[in-house]
Amino acid sequence: MRSDAVKKGMATAPQRSLFNALGITKEELEKPLVGIVSSYNEIVPGHMNLDKIVDAVKMGVAMAGGTPIVFPAIAVCDGIAMGHTGMKYSLVTRDLICDSTECMALAHQFDALVMVPNCDKNVPGLLMAAARLNIPTVFVSGGPMLAGHVNGQRTSLSSMFEAVGSYAAGTMTEEQVDDYVCHACPTCGSCSGMYTANSMNCLTEAIGMGLQGNGTIPAVYSDRIKLAKHAGMKVMELYEKNICPRDILTPEAFENALTVDMALGCSTNTMLHLPAIAHEAGVELNLDMANAISAKTPNLCHLAPAGHTYMEQLNEAGGIYAVMNELNKRGLLHTDLITATGKTVGENIAGCENRDPEVIRPIDNPYSATGGIAVLRGNIAPDSGVVKRSAVVPEMLVHEGPARVFDCEEDAIAAIRGGKIVEGDVVVIRYEGPKGGPGMREMLNPTSAIAGMGLGSSVALITDGRFSGASRGASIGHISPEAAVGGPIALIEEGDIIAIDIPANTINVKVSDEELAARREKWTPREPKVKTGYLARYASMVTSADKGAILKSSL
């Protein structure tokens, strides 16, 4: 056992005395030590129930012959952090979570791990840590929130942000907004649409690191507690069989994850997180793979904000395994891969039928023949830009319009809410990338303001920042290279015509190469927005969005 380094022999007597101080018995020390990484806190709705999940995991580990020991991971609520300086601190926590988990796991020599995340950066951060550590590991999330209900309609957090835009447009009263405040987010859990948290929890199943139901069983269901107990028991099986994350996180597993991503219509943030996880697993994941997989993968689900179905309905329809079983009817998955269940993908999904063809479209009747995410390139984005194609209305799949240029999110929001953006415009928000932000803020406020103002089917938005999974419309993010390093998005001027063709995977500004070169001669780098603290250190080390915004291993 790895943990023998801290508990066996006379040399470890001092360590044993500290275990004794913890109240851990000799009998417990004879068993494998299983670290349970808990993201519990009292500020994130998706994490407020994780103490219950952790208790269930502990019971499962103990039932299966291990000694469970809990340690924490931090978590930021993206919704609470949205629209102010706090959003600079969201993406950057992914690396803090990964690094601190590495520190705790190796400092204390755990034999196995159970990861208990739920929200946006905890899931990818802990997947990165699992790949880096390569210790037998299982994931069990806190589960999604139930949908809210307002005026007889299901609602979610994106409905809440759009209500603010409707209020600004004069189409909703303060009392109506308050009705959304009280009813849009009714329970604990990760927000109820196919936003980033739920996207990543679903992909944890698809990639093989979570058990069936990890992504879809609602947080308030007792089945979630049972799942946590099974996760605790399963990690002991993985320990006995020495099945480790890098046995699971193979190149083919990432192809499976991308395929399910396209079928579900996941958040564009998956295009940041999957490359970062792959990097830690020693797997190269080029974003060109996304378009290649999208071209042959039908989009089967339109969950909020792309449609009017929610995570609880996906769960009732059969969950991720039912989606995977549909995909497998066309041979789109690698089915011989080992997973954290101890079985192969094919064994996992066998017999998992689609119980609601309105929620999970059959493979021969998809929403579209191609996947839910598209990677675009052009003279604005030589290295890439990303759009959630499944959440774009048909009339905006191809669009040309004048650029309305803003050098920060706040200025863009003021212009949108002030009625200065009109039909046909292309809002450009730059200097909000990984370095320029720093921290690559999500743009849910401006996208929701556009939708709330009734411009969602006529205005596009492009940015070197990123979008919440709750964003919808022609919202193209992750423009790389970013403005802060002199990417072409920094050269766009007010009124330039921008041409977007999502089916053709292109985005260009209709300016000659000679004119762009002349503008580049005049361009000068901006002073860093933040010069001290963690954000400054992050900005000095972070790479571009098309590389997953990973940190350079050396300065």
Side-chain angles (χ1 to χ4, degrees):
M1 286 187 280
R2 177 190 299 267
S3 61
D4 286 352
V6 295
K7 65 186 186 183
K8 291 291 186 181
M10 184 54 65
T12 68
Q15 285 92 334
R16 292 199 303 276
S17 74
L18 295 171
F19 282 114
N20 180 72
L22 289 167
I24 292 176
T25 67
K26 291 181 180 179
E27 292 81 2
E28 288 175 299
L29 284 181
E30 291 172 358
K31 300 174 182 180
L33 302 185
V34 179
I36 301 174
V37 188
S38 171
S39 299
Y40 169 78
N41 64 43
E42 295 182 342
I43 189 63
V44 184
H47 292 210
M48 62 182 286
N49 65 320
L50 294 190
D51 55 339
K52 309 296 188 299
I53 303 298
V54 166
D55 285 345
V57 172
K58 290 172 67 177
M59 184 174 292
V61 169
M63 288 167 61
T67 297
I69 301 175
V70 180
F71 65 88
I74 64 167
V76 164
C77 178
D78 278 26
I80 294 174
M82 193 72 65
H84 57 90
T85 190
M87 182 44 68
K88 295 178 185 290
Y89 287 90
S90 173
L91 178 61
V92 305
T93 65
R94 187 185 69 180
D95 296 276
L96 281 174
I97 291 161
C98 177
D99 292 348
S100 62
T101 302
E102 174 195 358
C103 293
M104 291 293 289
L106 294 184
H108 303 102
Q109 293 292 289
F110 287 106
D111 297 298
L113 297 170
V114 180
M115 307 296 198
V116 188
N118 208 28
C119 289
D120 292 27
K121 307 312 168 299
N122 296 78
V123 184
L126 290 178
L127 281 166
M128 290 165 65
R132 184 185 296 179
L133 290 163
N134 206 33
I135 299 166
T137 301
V138 173
F139 277 68
V140 57
S141 76
M145 184 184 292
L146 295 179
H149 291 83
V150 178
N151 297 326
Q153 300 294 318
R154 284 189 173 95
T155 61
S156 61
L157 183 65
S158 54
S159 309
M160 187 69 256
F161 277 90
E162 290 177 17
V164 175
S166 297
Y167 176 79
T171 58
M172 189 174 285
T173 66
E174 184 175 351
E175 290 75 16
Q176 288 172 317
V177 173
D178 284 343
D179 195 17
Y180 276 87
V181 169
C182 294
H183 299 105
C185 299
T187 71
C188 63
S190 49
C191 297
S192 55
M194 189 54 77
Y195 310 147
T196 304
N198 291 328
S199 295
M200 291 306 304
N201 281 322
C202 289
L203 294 187
T204 300
E205 280 190 64
I207 210 167
M209 291 296 293
L211 307 185
Q212 182 179 8
N214 180 67
T216 60
I217 297 172
V220 295
Y221 283 13
S222 297
D223 278 351
R224 177 63 55 178
I225 299 296
K226 291 158 64 177
L227 179 70
K229 292 176 183 177
H230 283 131
M233 290 185 272
K234 186 60 66 174
V235 80
M236 296 309 300
E237 178 184 334
L238 297 183
Y239 169 77
E240 294 296 334
K241 293 180 178 179
N242 196 31
I243 298 174
C244 296
R246 291 188 198 173
D247 300 320
I248 298 168
L249 297 172
T250 63
E252 293 79 12
F254 283 95
E255 290 180 19
N256 280 355
L258 281 169
T259 300
V260 176
D261 191 338
M262 297 303 168
L264 289 173
C266 289
S267 164
T268 52
N269 281 316
T270 63
M271 295 295 102
L272 280 176
H273 300 322
L274 287 175
I277 298 160
H279 174 75
E280 294 292 349
V283 173
E284 182 178 354
L285 201 165
N286 189 300
L287 286 187
D288 288 331
M289 291 173 57
N291 281 344
I293 289 174
S294 178
K296 61 182 182 181
T297 306
N299 178 225
L300 304 181
C301 299
H302 265 193
L303 286 97
H308 299 287
T309 53
Y310 293 83
M311 295 303 297
E312 63 209 70
Q313 293 165 280
L314 179 58
N315 186 64
E316 292 161 6
I320 302 310
Y321 281 12
V323 174
M324 294 174 75
N325 203 27
E326 284 290 343
L327 294 169
N328 198 43
K329 292 175 182 178
R330 198 172 288 179
L332 295 175
L333 296 175
H334 301 281
T335 58
D336 59 346
L337 309 180
I338 194 66
T339 71
T341 67
K343 300 177 181 178
T344 65
V345 171
E347 290 172 323
N348 287 342
I349 67 176
C352 295
E353 296 302 321
N354 179 359
R355 297 194 291 266
D356 190 339
E358 295 301 312
V359 175
I360 304 172
R361 286 282 185 92
I363 194 76
D364 58 358
N365 182 34
Y367 283 100
S368 64
T370 55
I373 290 178
V375 176
L376 312 184
R377 282 189 169 83
N379 65 358
I380 292 175
D383 292 340
S384 70
V386 179
V387 63
K388 188 170 182 175
R389 176 177 177 157
S390 60
V392 180
V393 293
E395 56 266 38
M396 289 298 291
L397 290 171
V398 178
H399 178 77
E400 285 193 13
R404 303 299 309 280
V405 182
F406 304 94
D407 287 349
C408 67
E409 177 187 6
E410 289 83 356
D411 290 350
I413 292 171
I416 296 165
R417 292 180 178 165
K420 297 179 181 179
I421 302 301
V422 299
E423 291 185 7
D425 283 349
V426 178
V427 176
V428 178
I429 305 178
R430 61 193 181 188
Y431 296 100
E432 292 284 8
K435 283 185 179 294
M440 201 179 184
R441 288 195 285 182
E442 286 186 343
M443 301 292 168
L444 181 55
N445 269 358
T447 59
S448 297
I450 287 170
M453 298 287 285
L455 298 171
S457 60
S458 61
V459 169
L461 191 155
I462 70 172
T463 180
D464 52 8
R466 60 194 178 91
F467 296 109
S468 165
S471 293
R472 61 187 176 97
S475 303
I476 302 163
H478 305 198
I479 298 294
S480 301
E482 63 175 291
V485 298
I489 191 173
L491 309 179
I492 298 173
E493 295 182 357
E494 186 81 8
D496 286 348
I497 300 300
I498 293 177
I500 299 165
D501 190 333
I502 294 173
N505 302 116
T506 61
I507 180 168
N508 291 285
V509 58
K510 301 183 84 171
V511 172
S512 69
D513 292 345
E514 291 77 13
E515 173 61 18
L516 287 176
R519 293 180 186 180
R520 179 169 298 285
E521 287 294 318
K522 299 176 183 177
W523 179 82
T524 56
R526 301 290 179 91
E527 280 287 313
K529 294 178 183 176
V530 179
K531 298 181 181 180
T532 60
Y534 179 61
L535 285 178
R537 187 161 69 251
Y538 179 88
S540 72
M541 299 178 68
V542 70
T543 62
S544 65
D546 66 298
K547 302 296 191 296
I550 61 174
L551 300 185
K552 292 181 290 186
S553 57
S554 60
L555 292 175

